[in-house]
Amino acid sequence: MRIVLLGPPGAGKGSLASLIGQRLRVAHLSTGAIFREEMSRRTSLGRRVAQYVTSGRLVPDALVVQVMGAQLRRLAAATGFVLDGFPRTAGQAAGLDRVLSRLRRPLDGAVILTAPARLLVWRLSGRRVCERCGANYHVRTMRPKRPGVCDRCRGRLGVRKDDEPRTIARRLAVDRTAARPLVRYYRRGGRLFPVDGRGSVERVYGRAVALCRRQEWLSPGG
Ligand code: AMP
């Protein structure tokens, strides 16, 4: 399967994409994670994107498409993928189509996770992230075994800069404006597939896999 996950911040794209990646054995590429990794390694790409990421603004389309194009070209032709956090604008979606058509691996569809605004704010403001390995937790629904300490690597858990209350409001507003033409882009092409993003990640995963089966996006055995 070759899909992109759409939906506002807090809709659960990251958690769902990582479960899909593990269980269906496809590549999970997240622009946010790629950018944070580059920033923590202080690479030149990291320095270029830091000013946008830490203030909740979108990184320019050309740069994002270039980064994701390079990641996709590295995958073997038979490897499926789920993209999370990309594309975020119609310009990026068109750029992605150009990259994939050159690779002769067209997209199966865009899955959009839907959730009410109150749920988005609640999820984002309670999110805690491991400063070392990037694992996600939530103060109510996904607590670590030891408070403030990552179960996986014992790293320190913190609040992402862009999950701070003032930045959350900004991110949701930026997303609402940028996402409208993006959603229209996929709807017009008959490639938009809504999935209810409420409830636990397992429930959302169940709905997403049911959709993939109906659409015959899963490879045999997958
Ligand atoms: P995320 O983890 O997906 O919420 O992304 C964190 C930040 O990375 C965003 O607030 C943006 O600054 C940047 N970012 C991630 N993906 C994109 C994208 N597709 N286009 C532009 N900026 C992005």
Side-chain angles (χ1 to χ4, degrees):
M1 68 192 243
R2 294 185 291 263
I3 61 169
V4 300
L5 281 187
L6 307 182
K13 300 185 293 290
S15 310
L16 176 62
S18 111
L19 214 52
I20 289 178
Q22 283 164 30
R23 295 197 185 157
L24 303 180
R25 296 209 179 82
V26 297
H28 165 203
L29 300 177
S30 149
T31 35
I34 292 168
F35 292 158
R36 280 189 291 279
E37 159 84 16
E38 296 285 334
M39 282 162 57
S40 75
R41 285 171 38 215
R42 294 179 206 281
T43 61
S44 68
L45 173 62
R47 276 194 295 272
R48 281 165 78 192
V49 300
Q51 49 178 319
Y52 301 100
V53 175
T54 52
S55 63
R57 283 177 301 148
L58 290 178
V59 176
D61 285 355
L63 181 55
V64 187
V65 171
Q66 190 189 323
V67 171
M68 294 308 275
Q71 298 267 340
L72 288 164
R73 273 189 288 276
R74 253 184 253 151
L75 297 180
T79 305
F81 58 76
V82 52
L83 305 185
D84 143 34
F86 172 81
R88 283 269 229 291
T89 65
Q92 292 179 15
L96 173 64
D97 277 339
R98 278 195 298 275
V99 169
L100 293 177
S101 103
R102 249 177 262 139
L103 292 171
R104 297 185 206 286
R105 295 177 217 162
L107 203 65
D108 289 325
V111 173
I112 182 164
L113 290 179
T114 59
R118 259 180 304 126
L119 179 60
L120 303 176
V121 173
W122 184 81
R123 282 181 179 164
L124 290 171
S125 57
R127 177 155 73 177
R128 298 293 178 269
V129 181
C130 173
E131 288 168 3
R132 199 186 295 161
C133 76
N136 272 247
Y137 297 87
H138 190 278
V139 290
R140 302 239 181 79
T141 55
M142 271 203 295
R143 292 192 189 133
K145 291 197 186 89
R146 275 178 54 200
V149 181
C150 179
D151 293 346
R152 274 204 227 157
C153 75
R154 308 241 171 114
R156 209 166 63 112
L157 302 186
V159 177
R160 256 168 57 176
K161 261 218 170 67
D162 56 356
D163 281 344
E164 279 161 12
R166 253 180 315 154
T167 317
I168 289 178
R170 168 95 150 277
R171 281 168 77 199
L172 291 176
V174 167
D175 181 81
R176 263 195 299 277
T177 316
R180 236 172 266 142
L182 171 64
V183 170
R184 214 178 297 136
Y185 179 91
Y186 286 115
R187 191 183 291 126
R188 265 202 206 123
R191 297 186 290 169
L192 188 71
F193 300 85
V195 165
D196 183 351
R198 290 173 299 176
S200 69
V201 61
E202 285 292 346
R203 293 195 61 183
V204 180
Y205 175 77
R207 293 178 197 129
V209 169
L211 167 73
C212 294
R213 292 228 165 86
R214 275 199 305 278
Q215 297 299 321
E216 302 183 344
W217 292 341
L218 300 177
S219 52

